[in-house]
Amino acid sequence: MTAISPAARELPDVNEMYVVHRVFRREFTALPALIRAVAAGDTARGAVVAEHLTLVLDGLHMHHTGEDEVLWPLLQVRAAPSTALVETMQHQHGVVESRTEAIREHEAAWTQDPTPAGGERLAHLVEDLASALFEHLELEEREILPLVTCHIAVDEWRKLFEHGKDTMTPRQLPLMFGAVLEDADPDERARMLGQFPIPIALFLRTVGAWQYRRYIRRVRAA
């Protein structure tokens, strides 16, 4: 498939990617301090922070597997001069996944016994992940999204959203979507909610929004 002039067709809404990336930048920046603030032996608070860490890691994994399954294969074929860039994206996903697995392994032990030393180690692992991830997100926004505009159709782009929606559990959906909408402006909120059937969008605006507010207050409690 050759590139079609963006002026000649409907364009995918690549701004959605910035909105989603905003969540990962915000939460992975905040999580190390939340982890370090857990007092020695406070398993109740440790469980709250660990649950949030798991949610954000699961959201990131879901986001990246969608790109692995939907986006990279299409760009490998259609954006031939940029295949090395796509390969860089795939390599960076591998680095992020490796650091994610290291976090998950250490998180399990820390949740059972939240010591200051264990918390410091976990916080460092999250910071290492954030360093690799933020580099990846910046490159993706700068180099990949222009390729998406040229080479990816709207219905193909929408498959990324469908992958995420279908992968999340019923508990995760309002929490992850609440996180996505937290810093969204009114136009971004309307466009993101507009991708759902009306009953689900109504749920996310009302009950789901309440669930997220209650959840995130507990996570960010001093």
Side-chain angles (χ1 to χ4, degrees):
M1 176 178 174
T2 58
I4 302 173
S5 168
R9 62 182 176 88
E10 184 182 0
L11 300 180
D13 182 9
V14 296
N15 187 63
E16 295 169 356
M17 192 70 81
Y18 291 97
V19 177
V20 172
H21 286 179
R22 191 182 298 151
V23 176
F24 299 129
R25 288 185 170 108
R26 182 186 69 227
E27 298 306 324
F28 283 119
T29 297
L31 271 160
L34 292 175
I35 293 166
R36 290 184 172 108
V38 175
D42 190 348
T43 54
R45 179 60 185 166
V48 170
V49 173
E51 179 188 21
H52 187 57
L53 175 57
T54 297
L55 176 72
V56 180
L57 291 174
D58 286 350
L60 177 62
H61 179 73
M62 171 269 295
H63 178 65
H64 278 182
T65 55
E67 292 177 338
D68 292 339
E69 295 173 15
V70 177
L71 194 55
W72 306 147
L74 294 174
L75 289 179
Q76 283 278 27
V77 173
R78 299 175 186 174
S82 301
T83 53
L85 174 62
V86 176
E87 290 168 2
T88 297
M89 293 289 104
Q90 293 170 317
H91 172 72
Q92 289 179 339
H93 274 199
V95 172
V96 167
E97 184 63 22
S98 175
R99 296 187 184 188
T100 296
E101 288 306 311
I103 289 171
R104 291 190 191 276
E105 291 174 7
H106 192 73
E107 176 192 16
W110 176 79
T111 305
Q112 294 295 319
D113 182 20
T115 64
E120 187 63 28
R121 173 62 177 156
L122 182 59
H124 274 300
L125 289 172
V126 174
E127 288 167 342
D128 287 344
L129 168 63
S131 177
L133 175 63
F134 295 171
E135 178 183 355
H136 170 72
L137 299 183
E138 194 278 331
L139 182 61
E140 185 171 274
E141 291 167 354
R142 187 178 70 247
E143 302 290 345
I144 291 294
L145 294 186
L147 295 179
V148 168
T149 300
C150 291
H151 297 287
I152 304 299
V154 170
D155 61 332
E156 294 167 336
W157 182 250
R158 184 170 174 78
K159 288 179 182 177
L160 287 173
F161 170 81
E162 295 296 336
H163 170 86
K165 178 173 65 68
D166 294 343
T167 303
M168 283 183 280
T169 67
R171 171 168 170 74
Q172 288 175 327
L173 179 60
L175 301 182
M176 282 303 304
F177 206 74
V180 168
L181 294 184
E182 181 173 339
D183 293 327
D185 63 34
D187 181 62
E188 291 169 342
R189 291 175 63 87
R191 283 186 289 171
M192 298 297 285
L193 285 165
Q195 298 186 71
F196 288 97
I198 291 175
I200 297 178
L202 178 61
F203 169 81
L204 291 172
R205 283 198 303 266
T206 55
V207 176
W210 173 80
Q211 289 176 341
Y212 177 71
R213 289 193 300 270
R214 183 179 64 170
Y215 166 84
I216 204 64
R217 280 198 300 267
R218 191 163 57 101
V219 168
R220 294 173 183 165

